[in-house]
Amino acid sequence: MESLDIKWIRSQFPALTQTINGKPAIFFDGPGGTQVPGGVLDAISDYLVRSNANAHGAFATSMRTDALIISARAAIADFLGCDNDEVVFGANMTTLTFSVSRAIGRELQPGDEIIVTDLDHAANISPWYALEEKGVIIRTVDINITDCTLDLNDLEKKINSRTKLVAVTYASNAVGTINDIAKIVKLAHNFGALVYVDAVHYAPHAPINVHHLDCDFLACSAYKFFAPHVGILYGKREHLTKFSPYKVKPASEEVPSRWETGTLNHEGLAGLVAAINYLTKLGCHVSPTLDNELLSSLIEADREGLTTFHCPRFLTEIEQPNHELASAYHSRRAALLSAMSAIQQYERELSKKLISGLLKIPGLTLYGITEPSEFTSRTPTVSIRIEGKTPATIAKILGEQGIFAWYGNFYATNLTEKLDVETSGGLLRIGLAHYNTAAEIDQLLQTLNEIV
């Protein structure tokens, strides 16, 4: 596998050319939302000019919208490793999670239990706590304070025959910790419990295969992986069929559209497909042996909304299946895996440089995993505090220097309370993405040392 072509990558993101007070902008704000490739901007504009209509009409722009929705499902199915009809779109991850919690809540009885964790974003905690009004008992899994990892021993103690669902983050949006989802799923399934995974923070940083994980639901947000604001939910087909979502009466009962309340963000879906195409191209840069003709065929199929043919069960139902499109699917999935694996490797090296430099700064406390040998269990998102200065003060000084970093609790209030920083300003969060460079890290470290 070749290393990332960082010059080519940065050329794809127009926002990276900005300057602040005469200095190049440095985007370490990725955990709150990444920048987008130019192709995403073009796709949104093109949709609004050529295809702007609601779905299911008998005219050209509406039919293009229908094709776009099909194409977007196929793109995300390739990204997550699932089937098209297991992909649901919505306003955002939080809204989708509330929708699922309400639907599951219809089936629960007083005394049933749900498990959440102290490592999660509130979007994967509050929707489950809302079920307390039905008499559901919520139990919370603790963390290991020293490295901000989930206490799996505590999980094993709290899960039992009354547990109906475990809600857990794939990776912490505050401190970057990656959880062993496959292990958690196996444990939960041993007790007959479902697993709902928040992959919002994990999705930009590594490959995902939901069928391999065997999770029951997985949610993420497209704006965290180089696309517009679109919420994404994977659900096992059996669950999307079994549970009944709240919806308006005329809406379709078909899976997965029965879960999509109201009109979808069509221009956002156009941008989402373009973001997946960008990652596919990146995968081809990383692995040049991927067949460019098949890639071109796939992109053309996307435009025509034909990529539903990628799923084997669809191929068996088509009298003369389009084998070229089937091969193109495998090419795109392979390219996406190649891209995300290369991103993971590159960001891990950046993490080593960043964390090593931060730990040398006097008075700085770094929360989370710091041992390089354990970086397979963290994303390149780092939260710190510096003695004598609030996170807000540091963020403001960095911002004036063109360095963008978030401060606060990032809606991970269980965690900031557990770390005893919630009432004193929370954390300063530095989040790397694959378009960041070692030189940008050097600039950050220099600036932080000057602040100290």
Side-chain angles (χ1 to χ4, degrees):
M1 178 181 292
E2 295 187 359
S3 60
L4 292 183
D5 183 349
I6 192 65
K7 184 177 181 180
W8 177 83
I9 288 170
R10 290 182 65 83
S11 73
Q12 304 301 302
F13 290 83
L16 302 187
T17 62
Q18 293 183 63
T19 58
I20 303 295
N21 296 328
K23 297 182 179 182
I26 298 177
F27 293 85
F28 289 146
D29 61 336
T34 54
Q35 303 307 305
V36 302
V40 170
L41 307 177
D42 295 340
I44 293 172
S45 176
D46 181 70
Y47 172 81
L48 291 172
V49 171
R50 295 186 62 253
S51 309
N52 189 18
N54 217 319
H56 312 314
F59 48 93
T61 50
S62 181
M63 287 187 280
R64 289 178 193 143
T65 294
D66 290 338
L68 168 65
I69 295 170
I70 292 171
S71 182
R73 288 200 208 283
I76 290 302
D78 294 350
F79 184 67
L80 297 179
C82 62
D83 293 337
N84 295 21
D85 63 352
E86 296 177 309
V87 175
V88 177
F89 295 119
N92 47 61
M93 178 269 179
T94 306
T95 301
L96 286 168
T97 305
F98 268 109
S99 178
V100 173
S101 74
R102 286 194 295 267
I104 291 176
R106 285 175 150 178
E107 309 292 324
L108 299 181
Q109 304 297 323
D112 287 342
E113 298 182 3
I114 289 176
I115 291 177
V116 298
T117 88
D118 277 335
L119 201 58
D120 275 71
H121 186 287
N124 204 25
I125 296 176
S126 297
W128 308 110
Y129 264 99
L131 299 179
E132 283 186 316
E133 65 186 19
K134 292 181 62 68
V136 173
I137 298 169
I138 309 299
R139 300 195 181 278
T140 304
V141 178
D142 205 350
I143 63 166
N144 301 303
I145 295 290
T146 53
D147 59 1
C148 296
T149 55
L150 197 63
D151 187 343
L152 293 181
N153 290 329
D154 190 43
L155 172 60
E156 291 181 4
K157 291 176 184 176
K158 286 175 176 169
I159 194 167
N160 59 72
S161 60
R162 296 183 300 277
T163 305
K164 301 303 179 184
L165 182 138
V166 176
V168 62
T169 186
Y170 208 147
S172 165
N173 73 310
V175 293
T177 306
I178 296 173
N179 288 318
D180 188 343
I181 297 300
K183 182 176 181 178
I184 293 170
V185 168
K186 185 175 181 181
L187 177 62
H189 285 178
N190 285 342
F191 287 92
L194 302 175
V195 178
Y196 190 98
V197 179
D198 171 6
V200 171
H201 182 64
Y202 186 84
H205 302 297
I208 296 175
N209 188 325
V210 290
H211 285 175
H212 174 72
L213 293 172
D214 197 29
C215 56
D216 299 283
F217 298 93
L218 181 142
C220 56
S221 296
Y223 76 102
K224 300 296 178 74
F225 57 89
F226 326 113
H229 291 80
V230 175
I232 298 162
L233 171 71
Y234 155 77
K236 285 183 177 178
R237 190 178 302 107
E238 62 187 280
H239 301 324
L240 296 180
T241 303
K242 170 189 173 183
F243 294 110
S244 298
Y246 287 84
K247 69 177 192 65
V248 295
K249 185 176 179 180
S252 172
E253 278 290 353
E254 292 184 2
V255 170
S257 56
R258 69 198 294 252
W259 291 86
E260 295 169 338
T261 53
T263 301
L264 296 175
N265 176 7
H266 299 141
E267 61 270 32
L269 295 181
L272 172 58
V273 173
I276 295 298
N277 283 343
Y278 158 73
L279 290 171
T280 304
K281 291 177 185 177
L282 176 59
C284 290
H285 273 260
V286 172
S287 302
T289 56
L290 289 171
D291 194 313
N292 286 329
E293 288 186 11
L294 288 178
L295 179 60
S296 298
S297 173
L298 177 76
I299 293 172
E300 182 60 31
D302 266 342
R303 295 194 185 105
E304 301 300 325
L306 297 176
T307 44
T308 48
F309 290 172
H310 85 263
C311 183
R313 66 188 177 81
F314 286 127
L315 287 172
T316 60
E317 294 169 5
I318 299 171
E319 186 175 350
Q320 293 182 331
N322 189 327
H323 293 293
E324 184 179 8
L325 288 181
S327 297
Y329 156 67
H330 291 298
S331 179
R332 176 160 71 178
R333 177 64 180 166
L336 289 170
L337 291 173
S338 180
M340 298 311 299
S341 296
I343 285 172
Q344 185 180 41
Q345 180 178 325
Y346 175 73
E347 291 178 345
R348 198 166 288 159
E349 292 304 311
L350 289 184
S351 295
K352 291 178 182 178
K353 179 179 179 65
L354 172 63
I355 292 174
S356 172
L358 289 173
L359 292 177
K360 296 175 184 176
I361 297 176
L364 184 145
T365 301
L366 194 154
Y367 298 86
I369 296 170
T370 58
E371 185 60 46
S373 63
E374 299 176 8
F375 280 6
T376 54
S377 296
R378 67 142 44 249
T379 67
T381 294
V382 177
S383 283
I384 64 171
R385 286 180 66 97
I386 294 178
E387 186 178 354
K389 298 187 184 296
T390 67
T393 297
I394 301 170
K396 185 175 185 297
I397 296 172
L398 291 175
E400 291 169 350
Q401 299 297 313
I403 302 172
F404 304 162
W406 287 105
Y407 71 92
N409 59 36
F410 327 116
Y411 281 50
T413 50
N414 277 21
L415 178 61
T416 53
E417 289 171 358
K418 183 70 68 172
L419 296 176
D420 196 26
V421 297
E422 175 62 24
T423 59
S424 57
L427 302 164
L428 179 80
R429 182 177 66 181
I430 303 155
L432 307 182
H434 75 290
Y435 47 63
N436 290 126
T437 67
E440 289 178 329
I441 293 174
D442 286 335
Q443 184 61 48
L444 169 70
L445 294 173
Q446 178 182 330
T447 306
L448 288 175
N449 274 292
E450 291 171 355
I451 291 172
V452 171

